[in-house]
Amino acid sequence: MESRMKSKSLKRYVFAIILISVLKTSSCVTHYSIPEELDVGFIVANFANDLGLDVETLSRRKIRLDTIANKKYLDISKETGELFIVERIDREHICTTKAAAACVLKLDATIENPVRMFNIELEILDINDNAPHFRRDTMHLDISESTPVGERFSLNNAVDPDIGVNSIKTYYLSESEHFSIEIQTGRDGSKFTDLILTKALDREEQAIHNLILTAVDGGVPARSGTASIIVRVLDTNDNAPQFDEDSYTIHLTENSPTGSLVFKINATDKDEGSNSDLFYSYSLYTSEKTQQTFSLNPDNGEIRVKEIVNYEDFRVYDMEVIATDKGLNSLSGKCKVKILITDMNDNHPEISIKSLSSPVKEDIAVNSVIAVVSVSDKDSGENGQVDIHISDDLPFALKESSDNYYELLVSEPLDREKVPEYDITITVTDRGNPPLSDNETITLELLDINDNVPQFPQTFYTIPVMENNAPGALLSSLTAIDPDLHENQYLVYFIIEKEIVNTSMSMLFSINPENGNLYALKTFDYEIEKEFLFHIEARDSGVPPLSSNVTVHIIIMDQNDNTPLIVSPWRAHGSVVEEKIPRSTDKGTLIAKVIAIDSDSVHNSRITYQFLHNTDATLFSLDQYNGEIRTMRMFSYRDSRHQQLVVIAKDNGEPALSATVTIKLSTVETALKSYADMTEVPLGYDIFSDINLYLVIGLGSVSFLLLITILVTIVLKCQKTKPSKAAPPCRNSVISERNSTIADSTLVSNDAYWYSLFLAETRKGKLVVRQPVPKGARYVVSSLPRSTGLTETSDSAASTLQVK
């Protein structure tokens, strides 16, 4: 078993040796040259044709190309046998060293059946695809301004990955009058350059030089790269300090305080650093007196007062100041300073009040003297001359009376109510330089006079007052204003007397004399009094007193305080009215008419009528506006003989007030006589059941009423009252003095009181009852018959209807 295995391994070893020998003997080298950066897919050559291979067998023989460093730059088409580029080739990336003369890419191509191997050498030719560049974009050089001309300074050279003519060819320097470059070539052919100083530098003229160095290669087209060169010029102490002026003349006022700044001299040095740091000092030509009087700050050159300067002691001080820099070889400069002492206005003017009148009355006459003042100044010349003035906004003026004496006068009328007190500041100023001044303030108080009339905020007051007010109720507060003071300001209020219907206003209203509160002294009734117009006067307590008045209009507002009064049908006793009607009454027949009156205002007196109780709601109807009760149908045998109607008359007030009347209706089978033949009897007395007795009493009553009517007519004629004319046939009605017609009527009046004739409408005829009505109601009712005859009146006793 072991011998067989050994024989198999030996055979394999022999086959391997033979295969290697065949490969060695059959291998050859194919050389190609291409430039770098060709596009992917570019065909280098037809590899199959170059080697004499059958193109149709390439796919079967599995031709393949090895990869280099995990990258496959080329490949062979199995269909055409063409060698083409599959990845961009960069010569600088493949051949990193520039020392190599040529950049060659070696590849192996292999085919099978039989196995053959071909060596391929692909030379990559360089193109100018890289621009020169500097390792540092900016180069900094520090050169002293004392550096001699011709000095050389090395610069960083540029690099270019390309080779041959595509590498760096030359350098250029931007235009400069102080610098140039010199290009040198190294042993390896590289180019480098030196910076050469061609003109002496001066830091004070130009401290920084900015240059641009450009490297250019030899390719076509040529490529270039740039770097910035910043040359900083270092300073040397080559400039002496200089003052702004060679000499200074300074004016100093005497008595300047110790430590005050006289002048600050300034020297400059064009150098920098310690070469420009300066210190100041007096020269030997400056006297000791000057150095004792003035100090010199060595750091900033400030000259200050060291001792009190007196114009009378010294008028001129001369000094020489030296400025020295702190360079290694110090340089210095000097200037002269002359200080002239000027006289100072060192005395303030003075002002004195010699006399003053305060307080004064506000009506003081214009040009009256209020005060006398004097002014003085110890200085001489213009420093001793003074000007005096007061504010132009004040109503006063100054007038010179004698040398340095002035009078304070009133220049405009004064008004204490506008300005009660004046603070008058008198200012005196000398004519020195700078001027000195002083001031004195006097206070002038004004006394009040009675020169202002009391003023009400309004000229006319309208005050609404609800009727039925409580006596003593506050109606309004009428307050006037008087800007005067004390007794001139104290006001008294009173009502200007005015009589209305023989009644004085003071009996109706009262006003508090101290605060103007207006009160009502009585309870007002809208139905009697509707408005009042009077005047209230406010009078101050000055001498002489001043006063003003205002008009007050009191409007009485109506309340719903009057209950409706039912005037028809008339009731002699109680609130029940009994009526008899035939059962044969037709539908729509007027059974009765309820009339109520209300003495309130139009809104509150609007009356509406409703049934509170109706025995048979299908039998009777009630008009809610005129109170007419009519039959809705004819009576039937099932209807009760007795019907009761309760009517309520309700006004339109809030809350509403009402009155009721009960009407009892009895139906009779026997037809009654016509209205013209019936006897009139008072309503409410038809209580007999015997019809014969009823007719007898009726006939007697008619005779009695006729007699009473004649007597009443005679009495009215004696009182010179205009008689009423006969009216055409119409329904009973009422008229109010408000021109609010409830129904047609006639208005009658006399001087004693008003009468109302209330209409009672019955089946038996018409009955007129005379009744007194309260003063102010003024309602009168006249009765007119249904026939065309004259009005019949009865002289029954006056009575008052009861109202629920």
Side-chain angles (χ1 to χ4, degrees):
M1 188 70 180
E2 290 180 0
S3 62
R4 290 180 179 178
M5 292 181 64
K6 287 181 180 180
S7 62
K8 286 183 179 180
S9 62
L10 180 60
K11 290 179 180 179
R12 291 176 180 173
Y13 178 74
V14 173
F15 176 77
I17 293 173
I18 295 172
L19 179 61
I20 293 172
S21 299
V22 173
L23 291 175
K24 286 183 178 180
T25 58
S26 63
S27 64
C28 62
V29 177
T30 304
H31 185 84
Y32 298 103
S33 296
I34 62 170
E36 63 176 330
E37 303 292 343
L38 290 176
D39 295 336
V40 174
F42 180 81
I43 299 174
V44 177
N46 194 313
F47 183 72
N49 292 339
D50 292 341
L51 296 180
L53 299 176
D54 187 1
V55 176
E56 295 179 356
T57 62
L58 292 179
S59 177
R60 178 172 50 83
R61 297 182 68 181
K62 299 180 181 178
I63 188 169
R64 60 182 179 273
L65 196 65
D66 295 339
T67 60
I68 301 174
N70 296 327
K71 284 193 175 182
K72 193 173 184 178
Y73 293 101
L74 301 170
D75 200 357
I76 298 174
S77 173
K78 296 177 181 180
E79 287 77 13
T80 63
E82 294 175 338
L83 181 66
F84 62 93
I85 298 175
V86 296
E87 186 173 342
R88 187 180 69 87
I89 300 174
D90 186 359
R91 192 198 68 81
E92 288 77 25
H93 178 72
I94 297 174
C95 301
T96 58
T97 59
K98 295 184 64 176
C103 181
V104 178
L105 187 62
K106 295 182 179 182
L107 304 171
D108 292 330
T110 307
I111 61 175
E112 298 177 0
N113 300 322
V115 176
R116 293 183 66 184
M117 180 176 291
F118 303 95
N119 295 326
I120 302 174
E121 289 184 357
L122 183 64
E123 182 181 0
I124 309 301
L125 302 178
D126 182 47
I127 65 172
N128 191 22
D129 59 342
N130 291 282
H133 68 277
F134 291 87
R135 292 183 176 88
R136 288 190 300 173
D137 294 335
T138 303
M139 291 176 277
H140 294 272
L141 294 177
D142 292 337
I143 304 175
S144 174
E145 63 177 331
S146 60
T147 301
V149 175
E151 189 74 20
R152 305 171 72 92
F153 304 93
S154 297
L155 301 175
N156 294 328
N157 62 317
V159 295
D160 191 333
D162 295 326
I163 61 174
V165 295
N166 294 328
S167 64
I168 296 174
K169 180 179 179 182
T170 186
Y171 292 90
Y172 297 101
L173 183 67
S174 60
E175 184 178 355
S176 174
E177 62 176 339
H178 292 87
F179 297 96
S180 65
I181 59 173
E182 183 179 296
I183 304 172
Q184 299 184 25
T185 304
R187 293 180 180 179
D188 58 353
S190 61
K191 305 287 185 179
F192 60 91
T193 182
D194 292 336
L195 185 66
I196 301 174
L197 181 62
T198 59
K199 183 180 178 180
L201 301 175
D202 188 350
R203 191 204 61 80
E204 288 71 34
E205 291 183 0
Q206 187 174 354
I208 301 294
H209 295 265
N210 293 308
L211 307 174
I212 301 297
L213 181 63
T214 304
V216 181
D217 62 22
V220 178
R223 294 178 177 268
S224 63
T226 60
S228 176
I229 303 173
I230 300 176
V231 179
R232 187 168 65 94
V233 182
L234 302 179
D235 182 54
T236 59
N237 191 21
D238 57 345
N239 291 280
Q242 290 184 348
F243 286 92
D244 297 339
E245 301 288 343
D246 293 335
S247 63
Y248 299 91
T249 300
I250 303 168
H251 294 272
L252 178 66
T253 305
E254 66 169 332
N255 300 325
S256 296
T258 301
S260 60
L261 178 65
V262 178
F263 186 70
K264 181 179 180 180
I265 58 177
N266 182 58
T268 58
D269 194 319
K270 295 180 180 180
D271 295 323
E272 66 176 0
S274 60
N275 297 329
S276 64
D277 293 338
L278 306 178
F279 68 91
Y280 301 89
S281 62
Y282 287 122
S283 71
L284 296 176
Y285 298 101
T286 305
S287 66
E288 292 186 3
K289 175 63 176 178
T290 301
Q291 295 185 33
Q292 291 175 359
T293 307
F294 300 98
S295 64
L296 175 62
N297 189 314
D299 296 325
N300 56 23
E302 290 182 349
I303 300 174
R304 295 184 178 273
V305 176
K306 192 174 181 181
E307 293 181 353
I308 297 298
V309 179
N310 194 339
Y311 174 80
E312 287 71 26
D313 293 341
F314 267 87
R315 299 185 180 183
V316 180
Y317 292 88
D318 291 311
M319 60 183 71
E320 188 177 64
V321 179
I322 299 175
T324 306
D325 62 27
K326 298 179 181 180
L328 182 60
N329 298 316
S330 61
L331 302 175
S332 63
K334 61 182 178 180
C335 72
K336 292 183 179 180
V337 180
K338 179 180 286 187
I339 301 177
L340 302 178
I341 307 302
T342 58
D343 190 20
M344 180 183 177
N345 184 25
D346 52 354
N347 290 288
H348 289 263
E350 296 179 354
I351 184 170
S352 176
I353 307 298
K354 298 302 181 181
S355 66
L356 174 64
S357 300
S358 181
V360 297
K361 290 186 177 181
E362 61 176 321
D363 62 344
I364 185 173
V366 177
N367 294 326
S368 298
V369 178
I370 296 175
V372 177
V373 298
S374 66
V375 295
S376 61
D377 194 320
K378 295 180 181 179
D379 292 324
S380 60
E382 288 189 352
N383 295 335
Q385 296 177 5
V386 297
D387 298 313
I388 185 171
H389 68 278
I390 60 174
S391 174
D392 295 334
D393 298 332
L394 296 175
F396 304 99
L398 286 169
K399 179 182 178 183
E400 187 175 6
S401 59
S402 60
D403 189 19
N404 293 332
Y405 278 86
Y406 295 87
E407 294 177 343
L408 182 63
L409 308 176
V410 177
S411 61
E412 299 176 9
L414 305 180
D415 189 349
R416 187 208 63 80
E417 286 71 33
K418 294 182 178 178
V419 182
E421 185 179 89
Y422 289 94
D423 289 329
I424 307 171
T425 300
I426 303 174
T427 303
V428 58
T429 306
D430 63 24
R431 298 179 184 178
N433 187 20
L436 299 179
S437 62
D438 191 14
N439 60 72
E440 187 75 23
T441 301
I442 60 177
T443 300
L444 179 64
E445 181 183 356
L446 300 184
L447 297 177
D448 183 54
I449 63 171
N450 191 26
D451 58 344
N452 289 280
V453 176
Q455 294 291 332
F456 286 93
Q458 302 173 216
T459 58
F460 190 89
Y461 287 87
T462 299
I463 304 173
V465 178
M466 192 64 67
E467 68 170 328
N468 302 319
N469 59 288
L474 176 64
L475 303 183
S476 180
S477 181
L478 309 177
T479 304
I481 300 174
D482 193 325
D484 292 324
L485 287 179
H486 308 307
E487 65 275 2
N488 298 330
Q489 184 187 39
Y490 299 146
L491 302 181
V492 178
Y493 302 89
F494 56 90
I495 300 174
I496 299 177
E497 286 296 337
K498 177 182 178 182
E499 288 190 358
I500 300 178
V501 194
N502 299 325
T503 301
S504 173
M505 278 297 165
S506 59
M507 299 177 62
L508 302 176
F509 303 97
S510 172
I511 191 168
N512 189 317
E514 295 181 356
N515 57 24
N517 288 345
L518 182 65
Y519 300 92
L521 296 181
K522 60 169 287 187
T523 299
F524 296 108
D525 189 347
Y526 172 84
E527 287 71 33
I528 299 176
E529 303 134 331
K530 293 179 176 56
E531 62 180 9
F532 300 94
L533 191 68
F534 57 91
H535 299 283
I536 290 179
E537 181 176 306
R539 181 181 300 169
D540 61 27
S541 302
V543 178
L546 300 177
S547 63
S548 65
N549 60 69
V550 66
T551 302
V552 179
H553 183 203
I554 304 293
I555 298 177
I556 307 302
M557 308 297 291
D558 182 46
Q559 280 186 335
N560 190 28
D561 57 344
N562 289 281
T563 302
L565 181 65
I566 296 177
V567 299
S568 174
W570 179 77
R571 299 150 295 173
H573 300 287
S575 60
V576 178
V577 176
E578 294 184 357
E579 293 281 355
K580 290 184 178 181
I581 59 176
R583 293 187 67 86
S584 60
T585 302
D586 293 333
K587 174 183 176 181
T589 301
L590 178 64
I591 303 301
K593 183 171 183 179
V594 179
I595 298 177
I597 59 174
D598 194 319
S599 57
D600 286 324
S601 63
V602 174
H603 179 75
N604 293 329
S605 63
R606 192 175 295 118
I607 305 296
T608 57
Y609 304 91
Q610 295 176 350
F611 276 132
L612 279 183
H613 175 71
N614 186 353
T615 304
D616 190 341
T618 65
L619 190 55
F620 302 101
S621 66
L622 172 64
D623 191 304
Q624 62 173 341
Y625 298 111
N626 58 25
E628 292 181 351
I629 301 175
R630 296 181 179 272
T631 56
M632 297 175 63
R633 59 179 174 81
M634 295 184 65
F635 288 93
S636 66
Y637 69 93
R638 296 188 183 90
D639 293 331
S640 175
R641 289 186 57 203
H642 301 284
Q643 300 287 335
Q644 181 171 321
L645 306 177
V646 179
V647 179
I648 180 171
K650 185 186 299 183
D651 62 21
N652 196 39
E654 185 63 34
L657 300 178
S658 61
T660 61
V661 60
T662 301
I663 302 174
K664 291 184 178 181
L665 299 177
S666 299
T667 59
V668 293
E669 296 296 339
T670 304
L672 299 178
K673 295 180 180 181
S674 63
Y675 291 141
D677 299 331
M678 295 300 294
T679 304
E680 293 184 25
V681 295
L683 192 66
Y685 289 95
D686 188 11
I687 58 175
F688 302 102
S689 58
D690 191 349
I691 190 63
N692 295 328
L693 180 60
Y694 174 78
L695 293 175
V696 172
I697 294 175
L699 292 173
S701 297
V702 169
S703 301
F704 179 76
L705 289 173
L706 179 60
L707 179 62
I708 293 299
T709 300
I710 295 172
L711 293 176
V712 170
T713 302
I714 295 172
V715 171
L716 292 176
K717 287 184 177 294
C718 292
Q719 293 180 353
K720 298 181 180 181
T721 301
K722 186 178 180 179
S724 299
K725 296 180 181 181
C730 65
R731 294 194 182 101
N732 300 320
S733 58
V734 177
I735 293 181
S736 73
E737 69 170 347
R738 300 189 188 99
N739 296 325
S740 159
T741 304
I742 299 176
D744 301 331
S745 70
T746 303
L747 183 64
V748 182
S749 64
N750 57 31
D751 294 334
Y753 58 86
W754 294 96
Y755 289 93
S756 293
L757 301 179
F758 298 110
L759 173 64
E761 191 172 29
T762 65
R763 293 175 60 255
K764 303 179 182 64
K766 295 182 179 292
L767 178 64
V768 176
V769 181
R770 185 182 66 191
Q771 176 184 335
V773 177
K775 181 180 181 182
R778 303 182 182 180
Y779 288 97
V780 173
V781 176
S782 64
S783 176
L784 301 177
R786 293 182 185 271
S787 61
T788 57
L790 295 176
T791 301
E792 298 181 7
T793 59
S794 115
D795 195 19
S796 60
S799 63
T800 302
L801 297 180
Q802 297 181 3
V803 179
K804 289 186 178 181

